[in-house]
């Protein structure tokens, strides 16, 4: 499967410039999601001007979460690192998905957010905030009226969708 590595190397940036423009706050060459949506921020490139724009956008005492292929190990003066991690970016061709053991799922709506937040708190799939549902479509599986599994779309650079918030209640895992 051929991908546009340029988009995926800076997926937050390209999401905020395209499908998620309505969820973005921008300043020059820096962008971020509104606070109630996601903690993710991005810059066009890691140069002095972009760092200055990011500082103007997030403020001197606010934290921001950056991820991508080109994040420098040395940060500019005034910035401090709270945590660093690595992740794996996987790609799937939807035509190659094998649908085994289908279960009943439904679209999750804003009325489901309290249960989504509780499931995310319990399972810790990553940042999930009250308005994260605005980032894309989310689907869930319920047992006896309780959300026990969910997954949805987070970053959406043109032509791609990141599957996120994949979590299953510990009592429903097998």
């Amino acid at each position: 499967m051929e991908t546009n590595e340029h988009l995926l190397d800076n997926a937050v940036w390209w999401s905020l410039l395209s499908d998620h423009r309505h969820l973005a706050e921008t300043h020059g060459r820096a962008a971020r999601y509104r606070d109630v949506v996601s903690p993710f921020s991005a810059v066009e490139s890691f140069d002095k001007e972009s760092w200055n724009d990011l500082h103007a956008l997030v403020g001197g005492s606010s934290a921001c979460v950056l991820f991508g292929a080109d994040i420098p190990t040395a940060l500019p003066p005034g910035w401090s690192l709270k945590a660093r991690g690595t992740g794996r970016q996987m790609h799937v061709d939807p035509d190659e998905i094998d649908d085994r053991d289908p279960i009943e799922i439904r679209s999750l709506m804003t009325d489901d957010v309290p249960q989504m937040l509780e499931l995310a708190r319990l399972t810790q799939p990553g940042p999930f905030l009250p308005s994260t549902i605005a980032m894309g479509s989310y689907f869930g599986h319920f047992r006896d009226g309780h959300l026990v599994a969910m997954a949805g779309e987070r970053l959406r650079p043109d032509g791609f969708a990141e599957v996120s918030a994949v979590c299953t209640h510990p009592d429903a895992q097998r």
Side-chain angles (χ1 to χ4, degrees), residues 32-48:
R32 73 173 182 176
Y33 285 96
R34 287 183 277 121
D35 288 343
V36 295
V37 175
S38 172
F40 297 129
S41 298
V43 292
E44 183 176 8
S45 61
F46 290 99
D47 55 34
K48 184 177 181 176

Side-chain angles (χ1 to χ4, degrees), residues 26-129:
T26 61
H27 183 85
R29 295 170 47 189
R32 73 173 182 176
Y33 285 96
R34 287 183 277 121
D35 288 343
V36 295
V37 175
S38 172
F40 297 129
S41 298
V43 292
E44 183 176 8
S45 61
F46 290 99
D47 55 34
K48 184 177 181 176
E49 182 180 339
S50 294
W51 281 108
N52 289 341
D53 288 343
L54 184 60
H55 182 270
L57 184 62
V58 302
S61 61
S62 295
C64 64
V65 177
L66 302 171
F67 67 81
D70 300 325
I71 297 175
T73 54
L75 300 178
W79 289 91
S80 62
L81 179 66
K82 301 292 184 194
R84 184 179 292 271
T86 59
R88 300 279 188 254
Q89 190 175 75
M90 298 177 282
H91 308 266
V92 65
D93 182 340
D95 295 330
E96 296 179 15
I97 295 174
D98 182 10
D99 293 329
R100 295 182 195 177
D101 299 328
I103 62 169
E104 185 178 324
I105 63 170
R106 71 165 174 81
S107 293
L108 296 174
M109 310 305 283
T110 54
D111 289 349
D112 298 309
V113 167
Q115 287 196 62
M116 296 169 75
L117 289 168
E118 178 58 23
L119 185 58
R121 184 199 61 74
L122 182 65
T123 58
Q124 298 295 309
F128 197 89
L129 302 172

